[in-house]
Amino acid sequence: MKKTSLIYLSGMAILVLALTQACKKKESTPTPTAVTPTTSTEFIAKDSTFYNFLSWPLQATNHGPDPFLGMAHAGNDSTVMRQVYFYNGQYPANGKYPIGTLIVKHSTNPAHTVNEFTAMVKRGNNFNPTKGDWEFFMLSSNGIIAKDSLGNPMRGANLMGGMCGSCHSQVAYKDYIFSK
């Protein structure tokens, strides 16, 4: 009986020691956590940011001319279709979209004279405070940030001479977003 108790106690001691060591390892090794758009102070888009955007949730499809758009996004073309994709179907929180929100608009028409890809990213960190901290982009069809004739990326707060931000100011009350 003493031998059985001794073996039992030894086994329990080994088990307690093993569990204690396992807990210490867990405590000393930090668990990686995903960075969410709301915890970041700035999100800087790169070429891979818009990869596979056509698989993102389609949030709006608009057809024909749009007086709000004027010449932008072929707003004066009666045959154009505009599809708006939001990465992860993002919605605003308390009226504002979180930093890291990604939106791509594809404008096209049946004659293939329009095939435009534009994007907006909620960058944050006072990047563009007069336009809700949004950064505007022109993209190629594969989602890579387009380049101008000098090889410069087509992105920024004042893209297209500030036309993007000026137009989106019409919906500043919706955090500069027309489609939601």
Side-chain angles (χ1 to χ4, degrees):
M1 176 109 169
K2 283 186 176 181
K3 191 174 183 181
T4 305
S5 295
L6 187 57
I7 291 172
Y8 176 76
L9 287 175
S10 296
M12 289 301 291
I14 291 171
L15 181 61
V16 168
L17 184 60
L19 286 173
T20 303
Q21 291 301 317
C23 289
K24 283 184 182 177
K25 285 182 184 175
K26 270 190 175 179
E27 290 172 1
S28 64
T29 306
T31 305
T33 57
V35 176
T36 60
T38 56
T39 60
S40 300
T41 58
E42 185 172 29
F43 180 89
I44 300 173
K46 51 190 176 191
D47 276 337
S48 62
T49 298
F50 305 102
Y51 175 76
N52 210 16
F53 69 88
L54 289 173
S55 70
W56 299 357
L58 178 63
Q59 298 295 302
T61 300
N62 301 304
H63 298 274
D66 187 330
F68 276 119
L69 300 177
M71 298 292 289
H73 308 288
N76 57 351
D77 186 333
S78 63
T79 65
V80 77
M81 177 177 66
R82 293 172 210 88
Q83 295 178 306
V84 183
Y85 300 88
F86 280 65
Y87 181 73
N88 287 338
Q90 190 68 60
Y91 279 91
N94 298 320
K96 300 287 183 192
Y97 285 87
I99 294 168
T101 297
L102 309 172
I103 305 167
V104 174
K105 179 184 281 186
H106 179 208
S107 303
T108 187
N109 68 359
H112 303 290
T113 56
V114 175
N115 193 28
E116 174 186 272
F117 301 89
T118 56
M120 295 174 64
V121 172
K122 185 75 164 205
R123 183 163 169 171
N125 202 26
N126 273 335
F127 170 77
N128 187 9
T130 62
K131 303 296 183 269
D133 283 338
W134 289 98
E135 184 173 15
F136 303 97
F137 299 82
M138 295 293 297
L139 303 176
S140 61
S141 60
N142 62 1
I144 301 295
I145 299 168
K147 295 193 176 16
D148 65 15
S149 60
L150 300 174
N152 299 312
M154 296 180 73
R155 65 183 299 166
N158 294 312
L159 185 64
M160 307 297 286
M163 184 171 62
C164 300
S166 294
C167 187
H168 281 267
S169 289
Q170 296 175 75
V171 286
Y173 67 96
K174 290 177 34 179
D175 199 16
Y176 301 86
I177 302 300
F178 282 97
S179 16
K180 279 194 183 180

